[in-house]
Amino acid sequence: MPLKRAQEHHHISRDLELNPVFSREPVKVPRYALPKGEMEPETAYQLVHDELMLDGNARLNLATFVSTWTEPQALRLMGECAEKNMIDKDEYPQTAELETRCVHMLARLWNAPDAHRAVGCSTTGSSEAAMLGGLALKRRWQHRRAADGTTAKPNLVMGINVQICWEKFADYFDVEARYAPMEGERYHLSPEAAVELCDENTIGVVAVLGSTFDGSYEPVAELAAALDDLQERTGLDIPIHVDGASGAMIAPFLDPDLVWDFRLPRVASINTSGHKFGLVMPGVGWALWRDEQALPDDLVFHVNYLGGDMPTFALNFSRPGAQVVAQYYNFLRLGFDGYRRVQQTCRDVATRLAGEIAGLGPFELITDGSQTPVFAFRVRQGIDAFSVFDVSAALRERGWLVPAYTFPENRTDLAVLRIVVRNGFSHDLADLLLADLKRVLERLEHQSVPQRSADDAGGFAHGAETKNPKRPGRH
């Protein structure tokens, strides 16, 4: 959650003013303090409603990976379950049962060795799920190293393109983050770079299936093979966690021959976002382990003060059950073929739009949307009139939210725009975006020099929630 400090609000000193339709006397409402008295519910609603008009249109937000459209029936179920606390499994046993069914469905989807004995849980999102995966890796390493009496600090190996939650995990849980930088046209982790960073204190390697920078898959099978070879040479047995926040709900349906999941014995755990390509409104994520040995039992807490014995492994205790119910609804509603059709449509829109943008002339594709339905593109060399930040700002004038940002080390010279195609972003909307892009280019091409840079990105700063401004947040 982005921190909000008091000084950020000093420029707004005026109180909120109530529409005179709602009151005979002028009424002012403080912005940053509780009002002294009550107001009618419709009045409070209108005040909040009017302020929220300043937000962008979520359907036109091409920065976010998070679902912005779902069926009315799913929303109805979420409303019916809004008051249910997911942790109260004794009070809400059927909601708990639906969570268990979702875990088993995902275990089969990801080819767990024994889906009947699947180990997993729902979370508030894939960031929490990733941290749970990291904690299990750390605890397994601690168990292995306990006999040695080592006092060394554990480390986690990953590409510099990982999502911000991994930097948070390393910081919060005292793990050394070892990042492989980007090199040349390689924008994510390679097997060679991963192995070079591993040693006896490496708790695991993170492989990203769907990089937030460009949508590309990391080569999980090749990473596993390189770590197999490392074990043969050195005896080091280093597991893999797959951060499948996006791709773990794409690859099973569209890339069935791609081996990235529990078919690889070295993959210990996988996380995904139900509220991304799982097609649920935020927020729900999923964490699964290949078997009981992959999740140390001493990380699981047992509580009984809500009634019954409830094993729990999560960073959050109280959280809504509504999104879990919506996930189960989507699994029932769509089935395998329905998910395949939805994801294929997203990929078709992404690849067509990427091709159309490349055909405009000023842009060069970094990726084309043929893995996760996400693609990044840059301004071609020799185009000196405008920057990607100019394009982003110009599109925002028409309501399109298209982020512009720079890549991390060693490619901080590379500035790109990125488009995420989600369910609900149709070919028709893609045509409207393309038409607006052509219009803004006609204006931008008449500039003598770019007007905006990374420092002017404002709300589009890709790493706005990070300590390192070049690492992406989980949008």
Side-chain angles (χ1 to χ4, degrees):
M1 175 185 301
L3 294 176
K4 300 299 182 184
R5 297 180 173 85
Q7 61 264 30
E8 296 178 16
H9 305 299
H10 283 173
H11 68 287
I12 306 176
S13 58
R14 183 187 296 275
D15 288 339
L16 298 172
E17 294 189 18
L18 195 62
N19 187 318
V21 168
F22 291 100
S23 176
R24 293 179 180 276
E25 301 296 330
V27 176
K28 293 187 177 182
V29 180
R31 290 179 188 268
Y32 307 116
L34 281 171
K36 290 182 179 180
E38 303 175 41
M39 66 179 68
E40 292 297 319
E42 190 61 32
T43 304
Y45 167 83
Q46 198 64 44
L47 276 172
V48 178
H49 173 82
D50 288 352
E51 286 223 53
L52 290 176
M53 290 192 299
L54 295 174
D55 276 348
N57 184 329
R59 291 285 298 280
L60 301 184
N61 182 359
L62 304 184
T64 185
F65 287 74
V66 172
S67 294
T68 54
W69 183 90
T70 194
E71 290 180 308
Q73 293 84 354
L75 292 175
R76 190 188 315 157
L77 280 171
M78 292 177 72
E80 293 169 1
C81 298
E83 74 278 14
K84 293 182 181 180
N85 185 358
M86 191 64 236
I87 197 63
D88 294 349
K89 300 182 188 299
D90 201 56
E91 287 79 358
Y92 309 120
Q94 207 56 34
T95 300
E97 167 64 15
L98 298 190
E99 178 189 31
T100 299
R101 293 180 192 178
C102 288
V103 167
H104 285 294
M105 290 175 179
L106 288 170
R108 286 173 171 81
L109 192 66
W110 298 339
N111 297 290
D114 185 356
H116 290 289
R117 299 173 60 86
V119 181
C121 62
S122 64
T123 63
T124 54
S126 56
S127 292
E128 180 189 358
M131 290 196 187
L132 297 182
L135 282 170
L137 293 177
K138 181 181 179 182
R139 187 59 56 89
R140 288 176 65 191
W141 172 86
Q142 289 173 323
H143 289 172
R144 293 195 303 269
R145 300 288 284 165
D148 302 338
T150 182
T151 58
K153 186 174 182 177
N155 65 75
L156 183 66
V157 171
M158 48 200 149
I160 193 70
N161 59 299
V162 291
Q163 199 268 344
I164 178 62
C165 71
W166 291 106
E167 183 176 349
K168 290 182 177 180
F169 165 77
D171 192 15
Y172 296 167
F173 297 104
D174 198 26
V175 172
E176 177 194 353
R178 292 187 175 178
Y179 298 114
M182 295 180 177
E183 297 290 350
E185 300 303 306
R186 177 179 62 76
Y187 303 125
H188 53 222
L189 186 63
S190 70
E192 298 77 16
V195 168
E196 187 175 342
L197 293 172
C198 291
D199 61 24
E200 66 275 8
N201 297 313
T202 300
I203 65 174
V205 172
V206 176
V208 181
L209 201 71
S211 172
T212 55
F213 277 98
D214 61 8
S216 61
Y217 295 160
E218 290 189 331
V220 186
E222 289 84 348
L223 286 167
L227 292 171
D228 289 343
D229 178 69
L230 179 68
Q231 183 175 6
E232 289 180 8
R233 292 186 288 107
T234 66
L236 296 177
D237 184 7
I238 299 173
I240 290 175
H241 174 89
V242 178
D243 183 348
S246 298
M249 291 303 294
I250 296 292
F253 304 106
L254 303 187
D255 308 299
D257 295 330
L258 179 69
V259 179
W260 63 273
D261 52 18
F262 291 127
R263 285 171 287 182
L264 297 168
R266 197 163 292 278
V267 172
S269 48
I270 301 171
N271 71 272
T272 198
S273 284
H275 60 233
K276 292 190 176 73
F277 292 101
L279 309 182
V280 180
M281 289 294 192
V284 62
W286 299 93
L288 269 70
W289 290 264
R290 70 178 301 108
D291 51 36
E292 293 177 353
Q293 287 69 43
L295 176 59
D297 186 63
D298 54 352
L299 284 175
V300 180
F301 290 82
H302 294 264
V303 296
N304 63 5
Y305 53 77
L306 293 174
D309 176 69
M310 288 178 298
T312 176
F313 179 39
L315 301 181
N316 290 284
F317 195 67
S318 297
R319 56 187 177 82
Q323 287 84 351
V324 171
V325 172
Q327 183 74 84
Y328 184 67
Y329 165 84
N330 275 331
F331 284 169
L332 285 188
R333 163 75 174 88
L334 293 171
F336 187 93
D337 285 343
Y339 265 92
R340 180 191 53 75
R341 182 172 50 82
V342 170
Q343 313 301 36
Q344 185 65 59
T345 298
C346 289
R347 182 179 281 181
D348 289 346
V349 172
T351 54
R352 183 182 73 85
L353 181 58
E356 296 273 10
I357 288 174
L360 294 177
F363 301 114
E364 179 181 356
L365 294 178
I366 302 299
T367 49
D368 64 359
S370 60
Q371 293 184 330
T372 52
V374 177
F375 64 94
F377 56 102
R378 61 183 171 185
V379 175
R380 289 186 180 277
Q381 289 187 350
I383 303 294
D384 301 321
F386 57 89
S387 67
V388 293
F389 306 101
D390 289 323
V391 176
S392 178
L395 287 173
R396 188 165 186 148
E397 295 170 7
R398 289 283 294 170
W400 300 105
L401 309 180
V402 180
Y405 52 90
T406 57
F407 273 31
E409 59 180 289
N410 294 329
R411 289 307 314 268
T412 54
D413 60 301
L414 180 57
V416 304
L417 295 146
R418 187 198 65 208
I419 289 176
V420 180
V421 175
R422 304 177 307 280
N423 184 34
F425 185 75
S426 62
H427 282 288
D428 293 336
L429 283 174
D431 288 339
L432 292 174
L433 171 64
L434 192 63
D436 282 337
L437 181 57
K438 291 176 180 177
R439 275 192 285 269
V440 302
L441 284 177
E442 291 176 1
R443 185 182 79 208
L444 295 177
E445 287 170 343
H446 287 89
Q447 294 180 171
S448 56
V449 294
Q451 301 299 304
R452 292 174 178 267
S453 66
D455 295 333
D456 305 312
F460 291 133
H462 193 54
E465 66 165 314
T466 77
K467 292 189 296 183
N468 180 347
K470 297 182 179 64
R471 197 178 314 290
R474 181 93 72 191
H475 297 298

